[in-house]
Amino acid sequence: MRQNKFKAALFDLDGVVFDTESQYTVFWGGICRRYYPEHPGLEHEIKGQTLTQIYDRWFSGPLLSEQESITSRLNDYEQQMSYEYIAGFEALVGMLRRHGVRTAVVTSSNIPKMESVYRHQPGFKSLFDAILTSEDFDRSKPDPYCYQKAAQRLDAERDECIVFEDSFNGLRAGRAAEMAVVGLATTNAVEAIRPLSDMQLKDYEGLTFERLEMLLSK
């Protein structure tokens, strides 16, 4: 079978580039318990969705007036968050670049959130050829559109791309885009993400280019 060329690596942000998912679980866990005490675990269900999607589904109608307060609290929270790279991530990007692979972030986060990222990690932008945020697509994960648009931006076909994701919504988006999917077990257990990914990792330490390339030869 012909081995496809590995041309583009498409990364989700939280739980994939940065070790932040546990921090968001704390924030949204508090919000969800306050407004939906009868729905335990809601903070996990909404992972990978844009803020607009969360509001449209869970904070419209009688709760519409609460959106402004939640947004303000979220903005303040993100200003104080820690944005530490997943172990081995920077080395991985360097390795990909040496092999001519282009890189993109494909995140449900919005531009104000990304401004916080840039302040905490000034070198962040230099790691990527493209950064797509929630403002770049009107259909978010698990819809495949965001990853299809990222591939187009990097001039890559679906069989030339590898998606790196941690949330169920994100993993399903990668699958729906018909791309190879690497699942990061930073948010969910390896066993839980295995059915939705071609490879499962706890972090990027020791990951070789050859292992990734093999995903595109299946």
Side-chain angles (χ1 to χ4, degrees):
M1 183 178 294
R2 180 179 68 87
Q3 181 166 327
N4 298 321
K5 179 177 174 62
F6 182 14
K7 193 170 182 178
L10 312 178
F11 296 91
D12 179 42
L13 187 67
D14 296 295
V16 175
V17 175
F18 292 125
D19 185 15
T20 49
E21 277 300 344
S22 61
Q23 298 175 75
Y24 277 111
T25 298
V26 170
F27 176 82
W28 284 109
I31 295 293
C32 292
R33 283 190 296 274
R34 176 179 177 181
Y35 294 101
Y36 288 96
E38 76 286 357
H39 197 136
L42 178 57
E43 65 270 24
H44 300 290
E45 294 180 32
I46 63 177
K47 286 184 183 296
Q49 297 180 5
T50 65
L51 190 59
T52 298
Q53 286 179 313
I54 294 171
Y55 283 167
D56 287 348
R57 172 65 179 85
W58 298 102
F59 295 93
S60 58
L63 292 179
L64 182 65
S65 62
E66 299 298 311
Q67 290 185 13
E68 184 176 352
S69 173
I70 294 171
T71 299
S72 178
R73 292 172 61 185
L74 178 60
N75 289 340
D76 290 344
Y77 188 82
E78 288 177 336
Q79 294 292 323
Q80 305 302 320
M81 280 175 52
S82 170
Y83 294 95
E84 300 297 327
Y85 290 112
I86 299 290
F89 177 76
E90 291 174 285
L92 169 64
V93 172
M95 177 180 69
L96 294 175
R97 290 291 182 84
R98 289 192 296 273
H99 283 87
V101 176
R102 303 189 75 192
T103 57
V105 163
V106 185
T107 178
S108 300
S109 299
N110 57 23
I111 290 175
K113 152 70 178 296
M114 297 309 297
E115 292 300 331
S116 296
V117 169
Y118 304 149
R119 284 193 294 274
H120 284 83
Q121 292 286 0
F124 178 83
K125 289 183 179 181
S126 67
L127 298 176
F128 303 98
D129 297 289
I131 297 174
L132 284 76
T133 64
S134 63
E135 289 84 0
D136 291 300
F137 36 84
D138 55 11
R139 304 192 303 276
S140 191
K141 308 165 187 177
D143 192 285
Y145 176 67
C146 56
Y147 281 117
Q148 293 166 340
K149 184 170 183 178
Q152 184 179 35
R153 181 82 62 88
L154 298 186
D155 193 27
E157 301 297 326
R158 60 176 176 77
D159 60 352
E160 297 173 325
C161 299
I162 296 179
V163 167
F164 294 79
E165 269 286 359
D166 64 313
S167 71
F168 293 126
N169 282 332
L171 293 165
R172 292 188 180 104
R175 276 278 194 257
E178 300 182 311
M179 298 175 182
V181 179
V182 174
L184 273 293
T186 53
T187 303
N188 301 289
V190 169
E191 294 73 19
I193 65 174
R194 194 185 305 278
L196 296 172
S197 54
D198 302 295
M199 177 190 296
Q200 302 79 42
L201 304 172
K202 293 184 177 179
D203 57 39
Y204 301 107
E205 295 285 2
L207 180 60
T208 65
F209 184 78
E210 289 70 28
R211 283 186 67 195
L212 292 173
E213 204 170 32
M214 285 180 63
L215 295 181
L216 298 181
S217 64
K218 295 181 178 180

